[in-house]
Amino acid sequence: MDGARLRGLTPGVLAVLVRRGADFAAAEDAVQDALVEAVRVWPTEPPRDPRGWLITVAWRRFVDATRADAARRRREDRVEEEPAPGPAPTTDDTLQLYFLCAHPALTPSSAVALTLRAVGGLTTRQIARAYLVPEATMAQRISRAKRLVSAARFDRPGDVATVLRTLYLVFNEGYSGDVDLAAEAIRLTRQLASAIVHPEVAGLLALMLLHHARRPARTTPDGGLVPLADQDRALWDTTMIAEGIGILQGALVLDRLGEFQAQAAIAALHADARTAEETDWVQIVEWYDELAALTDSPVVRLNRAVAVGEADGPHAGLAALAKLDAALPRHTAVAAYFHERAGDTRTAARLYAEAAQHAPTLAERTHLTRQAARLNSAP
């Protein structure tokens, strides 16, 4: 069966799943999985009833996904709203699932994407946003990972680095996105830290704690975004900050620097400042240099440009920003901020409005829109 006819069957199959009680998004995922399976199986085993075959396979995939989501929700229900300091008191099989999904047969990026979808409970759209790729590209990547793992033996779990990357992305989505999974990511990282001595595991746990400690001050009661410089630092959890700094110091003395330790060091410098004005931006720039050398990440270089602007002034920040790809997320918002600090409020207002159109979250879009409106209404 050619691709056009196969695609032509999709709307009818999707309609059947919806009539049976599947919500539209879950039905779409199930049908996509069934189409991938059809492409793999049909050339050698063509079905007598292609439409019936697709409906059966898609419905099974939907039921499996529903059961997996229910199991994940039960695990999340066992997690307290805020993670308690200290070692993890109990363990379950969730962390083991992370290692199994991080299978050696997969590339690290595919393993992370598969784990986020199958165990972490994130949507394909959320995962694509984290990787800065189109949703369709990420859907194909996850489907390929599923095919590879389905044919592989699960007697060789993945490496720690891939699991750490997955936990980090789950934490970030739970911390600032649509699904609150930050506490679950901290819980699992505590389990991992209690099981092995690894500087990057400790670095990631420290980073999570230092970020999570600032969570109460990050938003207004109505959900509005509060920038770091404007946050009420009295709301920060000093106990969690102290724990995070202690864990970081224990990792750094091992002299095996990794990206999570470097990020945690930057977070610790922010947490250590009693006011925004006391932030040691010069040292933060130095840590971003270390982090850029470790990762060569364009997002890290964007954050470094922000630190340069804070340390050496807005014109230095704009010069560092000019060396980066303007298509980077938040590039325009950073440019707006530095233009405002440099006194060019007209350009800043235009850039704030432009950045708001591409903001990844409603809270960020609202904040940037208000910044533009504030400058436009100024005398």
Side-chain angles (χ1 to χ4, degrees):
M1 176 176 289
D2 59 31
R5 187 179 174 193
L6 188 61
R7 289 192 296 272
L9 294 172
T10 300
V13 175
L14 185 61
V16 171
L17 265 64
V18 171
R19 285 199 301 272
R20 289 184 178 181
D23 66 83
F24 190 80
E28 278 190 316
D29 284 346
V31 172
Q32 181 187 70
D33 286 349
L35 292 174
V36 170
E37 186 69 7
V39 170
R40 186 181 72 85
V41 171
W42 288 9
T44 56
E45 301 177 27
R48 285 194 295 263
D49 180 7
R51 182 174 181 275
W53 188 98
L54 285 172
I55 291 172
T56 300
V57 173
W59 181 252
R60 288 174 181 168
R61 295 299 171 89
F62 166 73
V63 171
D64 289 344
T66 300
R67 289 171 177 167
D69 286 344
R72 175 183 56 80
R73 285 194 296 271
R74 286 195 297 271
R75 290 194 298 270
E76 290 173 4
D77 288 342
R78 294 196 296 266
V79 181
E80 294 180 356
E81 183 177 352
E82 295 295 334
T90 59
T91 59
D92 57 30
D93 63 350
T94 307
L95 191 57
Q96 182 64 20
L97 290 175
Y98 272 69
F99 274 94
L100 291 176
C101 285
H103 197 277
L106 301 175
T107 63
S109 60
S110 294
V112 171
L114 176 62
T115 313
L116 291 172
R117 186 72 183 93
V119 186
L122 304 188
T123 66
T124 303
R125 178 174 298 177
Q126 290 168 328
I127 302 168
R129 188 175 66 203
Y131 272 92
L132 308 179
V133 300
E135 184 176 355
T137 300
M138 183 52 65
Q140 292 174 355
R141 185 179 300 177
I142 293 172
S143 294
R144 286 195 300 268
K146 287 179 180 178
R147 292 200 305 274
L148 279 171
V149 170
S150 66
R153 295 178 59 184
F154 279 95
D155 55 354
R156 294 186 300 148
D159 65 353
V160 173
T162 302
V163 172
L164 290 180
R165 174 62 53 190
T166 309
L167 289 168
Y168 178 56
L169 290 175
V170 170
F171 176 81
N172 280 341
E173 192 61 45
Y175 185 59
S176 61
D178 303 322
V179 180
D180 186 4
L181 292 173
E184 170 73 349
I186 291 175
R187 183 181 73 87
L188 294 172
T189 307
R190 283 194 189 280
Q191 285 186 17
L192 189 56
S194 67
I196 61 173
V197 177
H198 190 297
E200 276 293 81
V201 174
L204 177 58
L205 180 56
L207 175 63
M208 289 178 174
L209 293 172
L210 290 165
H211 277 309
H212 207 65
R214 302 201 303 258
R215 186 174 186 175
R218 291 186 72 250
T219 56
T220 61
D222 62 354
L225 184 66
V226 181
L228 177 60
D230 298 331
Q231 289 176 15
D232 181 357
R233 298 184 180 219
L235 297 176
W236 291 3
D237 187 328
T238 54
T239 301
M240 194 176 292
I241 288 173
E243 184 190 6
I245 291 175
I247 292 171
L248 172 63
Q249 290 173 338
L252 290 176
V253 298
L254 298 176
D255 198 24
R256 290 164 53 197
L257 184 65
E259 61 175 295
F260 293 123
Q261 295 168 72
Q263 288 188 61
I266 293 167
L269 287 167
H270 284 298
D272 196 45
R274 291 177 298 178
T275 65
E277 292 72 24
E278 294 179 57
T279 304
D280 189 345
W281 286 106
V282 172
Q283 194 173 168
I284 287 175
V285 171
E286 293 173 356
W287 275 110
Y288 271 122
D289 287 337
E290 294 277 4
L291 188 56
L294 288 166
T295 67
D296 195 29
S297 163
V299 175
V300 168
R301 297 190 184 280
L302 178 66
N303 290 333
R304 181 189 178 278
V306 174
V308 168
E310 297 289 0
D312 300 330
H315 293 291
L318 287 169
L321 200 62
K323 300 175 183 178
L324 305 176
D325 185 353
L328 278 172
R330 298 185 174 89
H331 185 287
T332 306
V334 173
Y337 170 70
F338 283 140
H339 275 290
E340 180 184 357
R341 284 194 54 201
D344 187 357
T345 55
R346 178 176 297 181
T347 300
R350 175 179 59 79
L351 291 173
Y352 275 131
E354 181 181 334
Q357 297 176 1
H358 305 287
T361 66
L362 177 60
E364 191 169 340
R365 182 161 61 249
T366 301
H367 171 73
L368 292 169
T369 301
R370 287 174 177 170
Q371 294 293 83
R374 173 179 57 81
L375 293 180
N376 284 327
S377 63

